[in-house]
Amino acid sequence: MGSEEYRPLLLGLDSHARIPDLSSVAIDEFLGNRPVAFRWWPRLIGWESRLLWILSGASIIVSTSVGIQGLAYGIMLGMASAVQTVCGQAYGAKKYSAMGIILQRAIILHLGASILLTFLYWYSGSILKAIGQTDSIAEQGQVFARGLILQLYAFAVACPMQRFLQAQNIVNPLAYMSVGVFLLHILLTWLGVYVLDYGLPGAALILSLSWWILAIINGLYIILSPSCKETWSGFSIKAFKGIWPYFKLTVASAIMLCLEIWYNQGLVLISGLLSNPTISLDSISICMNYLNWDMQFMLGLSAAASVRVSNELGAGNPRVAKFSVLVVNGTSILISIFFSALILIFRVGLSKLFTTDSSVIEAVSNLTTLLAISVFLNGIQPILSGVAIGSGWQAVVAYVNLAAYYIIGLPIGCVLGFKTSLGVAGIWWGMILGVLLQTTTLIILTARTNWNAEVEKAADRLKRSAEEETLDLIANF
C-alpha cells in the first residue's frame, strides 16, 4: 500500500518538517526490507520523537490538571485504558465507525461501576469507623464522600471520552479543555468555600460540578467537532451487543492500574503505624508528593506510548510499533536520569519547600536516595505499562502487579520497616523492590514480544469487540 493511501499519525502534522513526509508504512518497509545504515537512525529517531512529543506534551498537561483523585478515579481511569487499546487499534486500522460504538460500550460499563461505587461512597462513614477512624472524622468523611457521588457519574462519562480522543491523536483540544476547567474549578472553590463559606459539602459539590462541566465540554467536542465526524456517527444499539469480551478487557485494565495506585497509597498508610508516625508520615508524604508529580509527567509519555503502539498495531506496522517502544523508553530514561540528578543535588532544599521542622527535613534528606531510585524506575515502568495498554496486555500485567507488589514487595517492606531499624526507609525499599520486579518482568515481556503476532491479535480483538466480519490488517504491509 502506498504512502499516499495511509498516513495514520502524520495527517495534519507535517507542515513544518521534511521527516514527517514519510508515512508509517514507508518507515515500516524501510525498517524491514533493507539494512539500515547508521546515518539513517538520527532521522528515524527524530521522526518518531516528534510524533511522541506532539502526543505526550498535551497529555502531560491533561495528567497534571486532572490528577489521580483517589479510589473512584483510579478505577475509572483503569477501565478507560481499554478504550485506549481498542479505539487506538481501530483508528490505526481506519475502522473509524467502530470507535463510536466502543466509546458507548465503555460508558455503559463505567456507569455500571459508578452505581456500585455509589453504595461505597454513601456508606463511607461506617467503613471509616470499621477501619479505626474516630466518629468525627468518619462523619466528615461521609459528608464529603456523599458530595462526590455526582462526580462518579461524571468520571464514567469523561474518562472514556478522553481516551477516545487521545486514541485518534486529538490531544491539544483535550489539554485546553482540562486547563480551562481546572482554572474555573479554582475560582469556584474560592467562591464556594472561602466567600460563601459552604465548607466541606461545598468543596465536594464543586468538585462534582467541575467534572460535569469537563464531561459536557468533552461530549460537545466529540459530537460537534469536524475532527470526530468519522469516528462518531451517533448513538447505536450495537453498543449493547458483544459486550462480554470488552468487559473482560475493561476489568483487567482497572485491576492493572488500581493495583499500582493502591500500592503507593498503602505504603503511606503503613508508615503511620511506625513507632514515630508523625515524622514517618510527614517525610514519606513529602517524598511521595515529588514522586506523584514525576508520575503525572510520565503518565503523559505513557499515554503517548499507548497511542503510538495501538495505532501502529492496528495499522499493521509491527516494525514501527517496536521502534516506537524503543524511542519512547530511551527518551523517558534520559528524562528520569535528569530528574533523579536534581533530587540528589537539591536533597535538603526539597524538604524545606514543605516544612521547617528540622527532624522532618533530616528524614526527607535521608530518603532522597531512595526517591531518586524510584524516580529513575518511573522512567521505565509507566512507559512499559503504556505499551502494555496499547498492545492489550492488561490481564497479564495485572497478574505481574499482584505478584511483584503484594506478594513480594509489600511483605518485604513491612518486614524491613517493622522488624529492623530501617523504619520508613525499609518500607520504601520494599516499594522499590516491587517496582523493580514489575519493571524487569515487563522488560522481558516486551523484549520477547512477537510484534507480527501482536498485529494479528489486534485484528482479532477489534473484530470481536466491534462485531465486524473481517479485518485483514496483514494486507496493509
Side-chain angles (χ1 to χ4, degrees):
M1 180 178 293
S3 63
E4 70 278 358
E5 297 179 50
Y6 173 61
R7 298 163 66 85
L9 294 178
L10 303 177
L11 286 172
L13 304 181
D14 58 355
S15 60
H16 61 279
R18 291 290 184 184
I19 291 174
D21 289 340
L22 297 173
S23 71
S24 294
V25 171
I27 294 293
D28 194 72
E29 292 174 350
F30 185 82
L31 290 170
N33 296 333
R34 67 190 72 179
V36 180
F38 178 80
R39 63 188 176 88
W40 285 103
W41 287 111
R43 292 189 65 191
L44 291 170
I45 293 173
W47 179 84
E48 178 62 37
S49 296
R50 182 172 178 271
L51 294 176
L52 173 67
W53 283 109
I54 287 173
L55 288 169
S56 64
S59 296
I60 290 168
I61 296 174
V62 173
S63 297
T64 305
S65 297
V66 172
I68 296 207
Q69 300 182 20
L71 172 71
Y73 187 68
I75 292 174
M76 295 295 181
L77 190 64
M79 293 176 66
S81 72
V83 178
Q84 207 157 340
T85 301
V86 186
C87 278
Q89 293 175 358
Y91 186 75
K94 302 174 72 173
K95 299 293 180 179
Y96 301 132
S97 61
M99 295 178 65
I101 296 172
I102 294 165
L103 171 62
Q104 294 170 60
R105 187 172 294 158
I107 291 176
I108 292 168
L109 293 176
H110 278 70
L111 288 172
S114 297
I115 293 172
L116 296 177
L117 287 168
T118 296
F119 292 98
L120 179 65
Y121 274 49
W122 188 261
Y123 296 105
S124 57
S126 300
I127 296 172
L128 289 172
K129 289 179 183 178
I131 62 175
Q133 295 293 344
T134 63
D135 289 347
S136 60
I137 292 177
E139 289 173 5
Q140 292 203 30
Q142 179 170 279
V143 169
F144 188 71
R146 288 181 176 180
L148 293 178
I149 288 176
L150 291 175
Q151 187 186 45
L152 295 176
Y153 296 89
F155 284 165
V157 179
C159 289
M161 289 194 296
Q162 289 173 355
R163 291 300 182 262
F164 170 82
L165 292 171
Q166 285 181 336
Q168 51 193 307
N169 313 303
I170 300 174
V171 286
N172 285 331
L174 263 180
Y176 301 146
M177 289 184 278
S178 297
V179 171
V181 173
F182 179 69
L183 295 175
L184 177 62
H185 171 72
I186 293 174
L187 175 61
L188 292 176
T189 301
W190 175 73
L191 288 173
V193 177
Y194 296 101
V195 176
L196 301 177
D197 197 24
Y198 287 155
L200 201 60
L205 291 173
I206 290 169
L207 267 173
S208 296
L209 174 62
S210 298
W211 265 96
W212 268 112
I213 292 173
L214 182 62
I216 291 170
I217 293 174
N218 289 167
L220 289 174
Y221 183 90
I222 291 172
I223 294 172
L224 301 176
S225 173
S227 301
C228 298
K229 64 180 180 180
E230 292 185 282
T231 56
W232 176 261
S233 56
F235 296 97
S236 173
I237 194 67
K238 291 182 180 180
F240 292 92
K241 298 179 181 179
I243 205 169
W244 178 246
Y246 185 80
F247 172 77
K248 291 190 291 185
L249 181 62
T250 298
V251 171
S253 301
I255 293 173
M256 168 188 159
L257 187 61
C258 286
L259 287 176
E260 294 183 13
I261 295 172
W262 295 341
Y263 183 57
N264 290 339
Q265 293 177 342
L267 291 174
V268 175
L269 293 175
I270 291 171
S271 299
L273 302 176
L274 292 170
S275 57
N276 194 341
T278 301
I279 294 178
S280 298
L281 275 175
D282 286 348
S283 60
I284 200 171
S285 295
I286 290 172
C287 289
M288 280 293 182
N289 187 62
Y290 282 106
L291 190 61
N292 285 336
W293 277 104
D294 176 71
M295 180 64 76
Q296 297 307 318
F297 185 92
M298 290 303 170
L299 282 176
L301 284 173
S302 175
S306 174
V307 172
R308 290 290 294 120
V309 170
S310 62
N311 280 179
E312 297 301 344
L313 289 179
N317 298 319
R319 288 173 288 270
V320 177
K322 181 179 179 180
F323 181 65
S324 179
V325 171
L326 295 175
V327 172
V328 70
N329 276 285
T331 301
S332 63
I333 288 173
L334 291 176
I335 294 172
S336 291
I337 291 174
F338 175 74
F339 285 165
S340 298
L342 287 180
I343 289 171
L344 293 174
I345 292 170
F346 301 105
R347 58 193 310 157
V348 176
L350 292 178
S351 53
K352 288 184 177 180
L353 293 176
F354 290 90
T355 182
T356 57
D357 189 314
S358 59
S359 299
V360 176
I361 292 173
E362 182 181 359
V364 172
S365 298
N366 292 335
L367 289 175
T368 49
T369 300
L370 302 182
L371 176 60
I373 295 173
S374 298
V375 166
F376 176 76
L377 291 176
N378 266 356
I380 307 173
Q381 181 269 330
I383 309 304
L384 293 175
S385 293
V387 172
I389 291 171
S391 305
W393 303 337
Q394 286 94 326
V396 175
V397 179
Y399 286 116
V400 172
N401 290 352
L402 178 64
Y405 291 159
Y406 295 91
I407 297 178
I408 299 175
L410 188 60
I412 291 177
C414 289
V415 170
L416 294 176
F418 292 96
K419 299 298 183 181
T420 73
S421 60
L422 291 174
V424 68
I427 293 175
W428 199 301
W429 272 117
M431 179 186 74
I432 288 176
L433 178 60
V435 175
L436 181 62
L437 287 172
Q438 189 237 26
T439 302
T440 303
T441 304
L442 291 182
I443 289 174
I444 295 172
L445 178 65
T446 305
R448 298 182 62 182
T449 296
N450 183 331
W451 293 100
N452 289 301
E454 292 303 317
V455 168
E456 297 178 7
K457 291 177 183 177
D460 181 65
R461 180 180 297 111
L462 184 57
K463 177 182 176 181
R464 288 184 284 109
S465 181
E467 294 190 336
E468 297 199 7
E469 295 180 1
T470 59
L471 183 57
D472 187 8
L473 297 185
I474 305 304
N476 285 340
F477 63 93

